[in-house]
Amino acid sequence: MIYDAAVIGAGAMGSAALWRCSMRGAKVIGFEQFYPGNDKGSSYGESRMIHAVSFADPYYTPFVLQSMHIWRELEDVCGLSLVRSNGALITATADSVFLQKTEQSAQEHQVPYTLLTSVEHNTKYPQRIVRDNEITLYEKNAGFALPEACIVNMAEQALLHGADIRSGAKVTNIAWKTDTAVISAEHTEFKARRVIFCAGAWTKWLIPDLHLPLEVERQVQFWTLPCRAEDAEPGGDFAPEQFPVFLHEYAPDSLMFGYPSLDSRTIKLVARQTGQITHPDMLDRIAHQEDAEVVTAYINTFLPGLIPEPLNAKVCMYTNTPDKRFILGAPNAYPTAILLAGFSGLGFKFAPIFGDIAADLALTGATAWDISQFSPDRFQENN
Ligand SMILES: Cc1cc2nc3c(=O)[nH]c(=O)nc-3n(C[C@H](O)[C@H](O)[C@H](O)COP(=O)(O)OP(=O)(O)OC[C@H]3O[C@@H](n4cnc5c(N)ncnc54)[C@H](O)[C@@H]3O)c2cc1C
């Protein structure tokens, strides 16, 4: 049997690609070395922020807007709530490029937003105190997704549409023939016309010939308790309805991401810090005392209602490109391959639309979306 497409990795991108390929009637097989919704890749830890505005480039916004439609489609077919729109508060100094880009993306793509002065912010959201020279952009339709549940449900939809998904199946080799690829996994060979690479942090070692300049960076997610336990409970100050997700550029190139309590106990914080560059199989999965220092200092300065020392932590990975733009498309060297990689700590919110675009490319050879800025060949062109 020759599959129309083989998907390597069933994390965020892979489960989306499997779903979107299979729902179009394609014969598709997926390989996942662990299982969909695992806690070893880059898509775990209770929540992922979703906002249409972009501090990086307005180019990203239409992709997220379309993803939101597909997330809702997933919720409809599953009958589950997987993405919550509790709003996002995006704070930075008024003169920052970060805030200018964010507002520009909203304006260019008609994303509803409001701007809050520090006084307005601190009156409405006293849980987090921002400084006098800071402005906050509030995007009301933003919020967060439940990553593990999203992945499991996309994989389940793929199975329901006839996809073959192999868990515990590590791809060990891909041999390229003229019009098919032979994929080795589970001591067996599988043939497919197209190979969709969604291997996250492992991608560059799966296709070493491409010399993709991907760096895997260790990052830590922290959970902390409120000073008053009831503040995390439904209706409390840190419950989703009262506490939108937030993104704060609190110093140049220093970002803090915050989430409401989803377990009625803890609040999640993630500092975008310079982490150890590593191989995913060698990742130091233990959170050390020094990992928490930035989060503790942030709580001491901005979040008076939280206990500064985190209760729990989970180590995760960013897979960065040199320009922090994603990789999405077919490389010249392997036209039958489609790469989805290098999401640089921002990718989850794009998974549905990128899965759909991967299906376009795999099944029709083209997409109506402008993905030129994500070309896998741009690094070769720069050399
Ligand atoms: C701490 C942290 C916070 C983040 N916060 C946000 C956020 O708020 N919002 C947002 O949009 N994004 C966020 N991101 C980024 C986002 O989570 C990632 O960009 C996205 O989840 C990556 O998805 P992926 O499918 O590329 O990788 P993964 O989900 O890791 O999937 C890759 C899969 O491939 C499998 N695999 C690898 N090699 C093989 C092989 N040889 N054979 C079979 N299977 C293989 C792996 O086991 C894995 O399951 C965050 C990331 C981190 C680490």
Side-chain angles (χ1 to χ4, degrees), residues 17-39:
L18 283 160
W19 173 36
R20 303 313 279 184
C21 283
S22 60
M23 69 181 285
R24 297 187 197 187
K27 279 184 290 178
V28 57
I29 184 166
F31 301 96
E32 169 51 57
Q33 61 182 342
F34 304 120
Y35 53 88
N38 67 70
D39 61 357

Side-chain angles (χ1 to χ4, degrees), residues 13 32-33 38 42-43 48-49 171 259 316 346 349:
M13 301 298 161
E32 169 51 57
Q33 61 182 342
N38 67 70
S42 298
S43 305
R48 287 291 184 268
M49 204 172 281
V171 170
Y259 302 77
C316 199
L346 300 171
K349 60 183 86 59

Side-chain angles (χ1 to χ4, degrees), residues 8-14 31-35 38 41-43 47-50 151 169-172 198-202 206 219-221 257 259 268 270 316-318 340-341 343-350:
I8 305 179
M13 301 298 161
F31 301 96
E32 169 51 57
Q33 61 182 342
F34 304 120
Y35 53 88
N38 67 70
S42 298
S43 305
S47 49
R48 287 291 184 268
M49 204 172 281
I50 293 194
I151 291 171
K170 179 172 181 160
V171 170
T172 50
C198 300
W202 286 265
L206 259 178
Q219 296 287 337
V220 189
Q221 312 175 77
F257 300 80
Y259 302 77
K268 182 173 129 177
V270 182
C316 199
M317 295 173 283
Y318 287 172
L340 289 83
F343 294 104
S344 305
L346 300 171
F348 193 84
K349 60 183 86 59
F350 297 88

Side-chain angles (χ1 to χ4, degrees), residues 238-320:
F238 291 101
E241 298 71 25
Q242 273 68 38
F243 192 61
V245 298
F246 75 82
L247 210 178
H248 190 182
E249 190 189 50
Y250 61 96
D253 295 325
S254 299
L255 297 183
M256 184 65 67
F257 300 80
Y259 302 77
S261 182
L262 303 188
D263 61 358
S264 304
R265 256 181 92 232
T266 56
I267 288 90
K268 182 173 129 177
L269 293 171
V270 182
R272 186 174 198 139
Q273 357 194 2
T274 306
Q276 187 191 15
I277 303 303
T278 186
H279 183 290
D281 293 337
M282 318 272 213
L283 176 68
D284 175 4
R285 292 188 182 270
I286 295 171
H288 305 281
Q289 192 82 35
E290 58 267 28
D291 290 321
E293 283 168 7
V294 172
V295 162
T296 297
Y298 186 88
I299 294 173
N300 278 325
T301 311
F302 298 103
L303 291 160
L306 298 185
I307 295 176
E309 292 75 30
L311 175 75
N312 193 9
K314 285 184 181 163
V315 174
C316 199
M317 295 173 283
Y318 287 172
T319 305
N320 299 325

Side-chain angles (χ1 to χ4, degrees), residues 54-349:
S54 170
F55 58 83
D57 192 326
Y59 179 74
Y60 290 80
T61 297
F63 294 102
V64 182
L65 291 170
Q66 184 58 20
S67 265
M68 282 306 299
H69 290 299
I70 309 179
W71 286 126
R72 298 298 176 216
E73 186 185 327
L74 181 66
E75 291 184 316
D76 285 348
V77 290
C78 302
L80 294 170
S81 171
L82 301 168
V83 176
R84 296 271 306 269
S85 297
N86 72 329
L89 295 163
I90 301 176
T91 304
T93 54
D95 58 355
S96 65
V97 174
F98 179 89
L99 202 66
Q100 285 161 13
K101 280 253 161 77
T102 305
E103 190 173 8
Q104 186 192 346
S105 68
Q107 288 172 343
E108 280 186 23
H109 299 289
Q110 293 81 48
V111 178
Y113 73 99
T114 43
L115 292 178
L116 304 174
T117 63
S118 58
V119 173
E120 288 166 335
H121 177 282
N122 295 343
T123 305
K124 190 144 192 227
Y125 303 105
Q127 304 93 320
R128 183 172 65 106
I129 303 299
V130 306
R131 293 168 292 202
D132 292 351
N133 61 341
E134 291 179 315
I135 299 279
T136 298
L137 185 148
Y138 176 65
E139 182 190 336
K140 74 173 167 52
N141 295 331
F144 59 90
L146 309 177
E148 295 90 344
C150 286
I151 291 171
V152 167
N153 281 284
M154 289 192 287
E156 185 179 309
Q157 285 307 309
L159 288 169
L160 292 172
H161 285 287
D164 181 352
I165 303 181
R166 310 284 173 110
S167 289
K170 179 172 181 160
V171 170
T172 50
N173 191 52
I174 302 132
W176 303 95
K177 309 286 177 197
T178 315
D179 52 4
T180 52
V182 181
I183 297 134
S184 303
E186 303 175 298
H187 310 291
T188 309
E189 293 189 335
F190 303 85
K191 287 187 184 160
R193 292 191 182 83
R194 293 279 185 279
V195 183
I196 306 177
F197 286 84
C198 300
W202 286 265
T203 303
K204 84 170 173 184
W205 291 278
L206 259 178
I207 22 169
D209 311 6
L210 287 182
H211 303 289
L212 292 171
L214 295 172
E215 277 191 343
V216 177
E217 188 182 28
R218 181 177 173 276
Q219 296 287 337
V220 189
Q221 312 175 77
F222 289 99
W223 284 262
T224 187
L225 293 166
C227 302
R228 299 182 312 165
E230 62 270 29
D231 284 350
E233 291 167 5
D237 285 355
F238 291 101
E241 298 71 25
Q242 273 68 38
F243 192 61
V245 298
F246 75 82
L247 210 178
H248 190 182
E249 190 189 50
Y250 61 96
D253 295 325
S254 299
L255 297 183
M256 184 65 67
F257 300 80
Y259 302 77
S261 182
L262 303 188
D263 61 358
S264 304
R265 256 181 92 232
T266 56
I267 288 90
K268 182 173 129 177
L269 293 171
V270 182
R272 186 174 198 139
Q273 357 194 2
T274 306
Q276 187 191 15
I277 303 303
T278 186
H279 183 290
D281 293 337
M282 318 272 213
L283 176 68
D284 175 4
R285 292 188 182 270
I286 295 171
H288 305 281
Q289 192 82 35
E290 58 267 28
D291 290 321
E293 283 168 7
V294 172
V295 162
T296 297
Y298 186 88
I299 294 173
N300 278 325
T301 311
F302 298 103
L303 291 160
L306 298 185
I307 295 176
E309 292 75 30
L311 175 75
N312 193 9
K314 285 184 181 163
V315 174
C316 199
M317 295 173 283
Y318 287 172
T319 305
N320 299 325
T321 59
D323 57 9
K324 300 283 191 290
R325 283 186 188 275
F326 310 150
I327 294 176
L328 173 62
N332 289 332
Y334 296 110
T336 50
I338 293 141
L339 307 184
L340 289 83
F343 294 104
S344 305
L346 300 171
F348 193 84
K349 60 183 86 59

